[in-house]
Amino acid sequence: MNTTERLRVAYDYVVVGGGSAGCVLAARLSQDPCVTVLLLEAGPGHAGAEPVDHPETWATLLGGEYDWGHTYEPNPLLGGRAVPIPRGRVLGGSSSINAMLWYRGCADDYDAWEEAGAKGWNFRALLPYFRRAEDWEGGATELRGEGGPLRITRPADPHPIASGLLGAASELGMAVLDDSNGPDIEGASLANLTVADGRRVSTARAYLDPAAGRPNLTVRTDVTVIGLLVDGNRCVGVQYDAGHGVEEVRAEAETLLCAGAISSPHLLMLSGIGDPLQLREHGIGVRVELPGVGRNLQDHPLLMGVNFRSKNPLGPGRDNGGGAILNWKSDPALPQPDLHAFVVQGVHATPEVAARYDIAGDVFAVSPGLMRAHSVGELTLRSADPAVAPRIDPRYLSDPRDLAALVAGLDRIFDLAGTLSYRALIDHPVAPDRRLSGAEAEEFVRRSCATFFHTAGTCSMGYGPDAVVDSELRVHGVEGLRVADASVMPVLPSCNTNAPVVALAERAAALIRGEE
């Protein structure tokens, strides 16, 4: 793997973005010694980036040197707040700064992709690629993989508040699951984590490091792609800036956009591929009219969180600073769980909530969020300058059903706190300091609402008027260009997005190599 050589004029494949998807694609494609692969990452390399390796302190990475620093647009439904949306800017991308949760939701989530127009994309089609990626501590089963690049483990010695969540859920008559990625997802379970021997397992470590000896794989960091090279109706490469002015590199076979649900649509629009009205507004020549670029933006709203004062010192952080999750339905009539919660071995509160309550000392949180939100937003250009971030707006709570579900989520957390399992750990609630009802609960939701960091959908897969890529991830109307990241998901799965992005990238590699 070449990391310092001057870039050649052309490679067979140019992969834009060294994150969860890009590392997978570059590693898998370069298994063929007859092709050359170039991976370009805007951030630094992961070697020597010591802070990313420590699972229990991952939250300190947010807003730091390995984060793009994006922010959602101010939302009047959240009191005018602008919610930060962390995205990894380091080799491994968000898999290098996230909470390391490996969770794929339920089968219906992926069947919904096919129902939305993504032909051939369903749970049955994706399951082999989830399994291919995994080295599950429990060994191979019909649903789990063994021997794959990503080591997946559960907490061996869970923190008491993680164990407490399992006990509390059981007292309320909810299931306690052995595996959150098993046949059923409703209930409580210890988290599946991309953690091995106490260290984070990012896609950079799992996929790229083992490929280090391949002469046909070139990985360049600190290189920002600023546009696509389009000749007629074919993408022939990219423009990039490595600190020495604008340069170009050509892709003889294909250019593969893996820059994520924010940067992939942004690059398409900067290159003249998108809504013609928006492009012309910013003086960008229209190459391909694809009005769906940037539309269909989806994310999971999260409440940061319900905080409790602990009866005992919390002690050092363990695992990923959490360790257990819970899924349940805001309405028993729903076919699948829509609410999700996790524990936090410390304070979890927005600045607005922290300013209203005393959260000093030994405080922990149980944080609920909505995994099946109805609100849909969009990403739009702010400028034709690549250095200017786009407008990103998930339109949280614009659908009133989302507010009602999150209020129901608050109630369930207080139900859990009233069980014997948690009463043994909780001295009293601190933020909020009591069970809320009616308008109070709605106001707390608006002050506490943030993000799970699961932005998706902005280059949606399908064949309708707003579709951006087809079922082989090829951009409509452009030859030699595919998108393979969370942006192509037509429907956001009810889970953390790292696992589905990895599976999607595994399948993309198989499609490109003609193995499927």
Side-chain angles (χ1 to χ4, degrees):
M1 181 168 69
N2 306 303
T3 57
T4 58
E5 71 167 24
R6 181 174 178 80
L7 293 186
R8 297 197 294 270
V9 173
Y11 297 77
D12 292 311
Y13 296 100
V14 175
V15 182
V16 179
S20 294
C23 290
V24 174
L25 265 183
R28 290 303 192 194
L29 293 177
S30 63
Q31 287 177 326
D32 180 354
C34 296
V35 302
T36 55
V37 180
L38 171 65
L39 175 63
L40 299 174
E41 164 57 36
H46 64 301
E50 184 66 19
V52 309
D53 287 332
H54 302 296
E56 70 281 0
T57 57
W58 69 272
T60 63
L61 301 169
L62 307 184
E65 61 178 312
Y66 304 118
D67 183 356
W68 276 96
H70 289 302
T71 302
Y72 285 151
E73 287 295 290
N75 186 340
L77 297 175
L78 305 185
R81 290 191 297 116
V83 174
I85 174 63
R87 310 303 299 162
R89 192 175 186 274
V90 59
L91 205 59
S94 293
S95 77
S96 287
I97 71 166
N98 66 7
M100 294 149 286
L101 287 155
W102 183 263
Y103 177 46
R104 65 173 184 238
C106 68
D108 291 354
D109 297 334
Y110 305 96
D111 294 342
W113 292 8
E114 188 162 50
E115 292 166 8
K119 298 175 183 176
W121 289 81
N122 51 50
F123 182 70
R124 183 176 179 180
L126 268 174
L127 179 58
Y129 299 100
F130 280 112
R131 296 181 73 244
R132 179 179 295 185
E134 291 181 339
D135 184 20
W136 166 234
E137 68 169 15
T141 69
E142 183 179 342
L143 295 175
R144 304 306 305 266
E146 182 179 27
L150 284 162
R151 181 66 173 167
I152 314 295
T153 62
R154 289 167 292 198
D157 181 22
H159 193 282
I161 65 168
S163 300
L165 181 65
L166 274 58
S170 178
E171 287 184 52
L172 294 180
M174 306 171 81
V176 176
L177 310 173
D178 178 62
D179 179 9
S180 60
N181 289 304
D184 300 309
I185 67 164
E186 188 169 5
S189 61
L190 294 177
N192 279 205
L193 303 173
T194 50
V195 174
D197 301 321
R199 296 173 74 81
R200 175 193 296 273
V201 183
S202 67
T203 57
R205 298 215 182 278
Y207 283 86
L208 284 187
D209 284 357
R214 297 175 190 165
N216 63 328
L217 173 60
T218 300
V219 177
R220 286 292 303 274
T221 55
D222 301 302
V223 174
T224 302
V225 174
I226 59 174
L228 305 174
L229 296 173
V230 182
D231 184 1
N233 66 343
R234 182 174 183 82
C235 180
V236 296
V238 302
Q239 291 181 313
Y240 66 91
D241 186 350
H244 312 293
V246 178
E247 300 181 67
E248 298 180 353
V249 63
R250 297 180 74 84
E252 299 288 359
E254 294 190 50
T255 301
L256 308 170
L257 270 186
C258 301
I262 294 172
S263 293
S264 284
H266 191 210
L267 281 169
L268 288 175
M269 289 189 283
L270 292 173
S271 306
I273 303 169
D275 183 343
L277 294 177
Q278 187 180 163
L279 299 180
R280 292 186 184 113
E281 179 185 345
H282 293 280
I284 298 173
V286 180
R287 289 188 174 276
V288 180
E289 294 189 7
L290 281 180
V293 175
R295 295 181 184 173
N296 192 45
L297 191 155
Q298 300 168 56
D299 191 11
H300 295 136
L302 164 71
L303 301 189
M304 295 180 57
V306 181
N307 290 265
F308 301 96
R309 190 164 307 284
S310 175
K311 284 185 175 179
N312 303 300
L314 292 172
R318 303 183 197 175
D319 306 307
N320 69 333
I325 64 173
L326 174 66
N327 298 302
W328 74 103
K329 299 172 182 175
S330 62
D331 181 340
L334 291 173
Q336 296 289 352
D338 61 333
L339 289 169
H340 174 93
F342 56 89
V343 296
V344 180
Q345 299 167 23
V347 172
H348 195 218
T350 62
E352 291 75 16
V353 169
R356 288 173 174 257
Y357 298 98
D358 177 12
I359 55 175
D362 282 296
V363 170
F364 70 87
V366 184
S367 298
L370 183 59
M371 286 288 188
R372 294 183 184 273
H374 296 278
S375 302
V376 177
E378 66 176 344
L379 178 148
T380 56
L381 284 174
R382 199 184 302 270
S383 167
D385 182 349
V388 178
R391 292 186 180 90
I392 319 160
D393 187 2
R395 294 179 181 148
Y396 283 148
L397 307 187
S398 57
D399 190 305
R401 291 174 291 181
D402 295 349
L403 178 61
L406 287 167
V407 167
L410 273 180
D411 276 343
R412 178 44 56 108
I413 302 306
F414 275 94
D415 292 342
L416 292 164
T419 62
L420 292 174
S421 295
Y422 263 152
R423 278 159 48 196
L425 302 174
I426 293 171
D427 186 85
H428 60 276
V430 293
D433 55 9
R434 56 188 169 82
R435 186 189 288 265
L436 305 176
S437 61
E440 287 182 322
E442 291 187 0
E443 183 59 28
F444 183 83
V445 167
R446 296 185 193 280
R447 283 199 303 268
S448 187
C449 186
T451 173
F452 272 100
F453 325 140
H454 298 164
T455 316
T458 48
C459 297
S460 186
M461 180 172 21
Y463 294 89
D466 278 350
V468 176
V469 303
D470 66 15
S471 59
E472 293 197 5
L473 308 177
R474 299 170 299 200
V475 175
H476 290 299
V478 187
E479 296 180 2
L481 178 63
R482 300 195 207 215
V483 182
D485 56 33
S487 69
V488 306
M489 298 176 180
V491 180
L492 179 58
S494 60
C495 59
N496 307 81
T497 47
N498 192 49
V501 165
V502 169
L504 188 153
E506 285 274 15
R507 192 179 187 202
L511 288 168
I512 293 165
R513 294 177 64 171
E515 298 171 350
E516 183 177 318

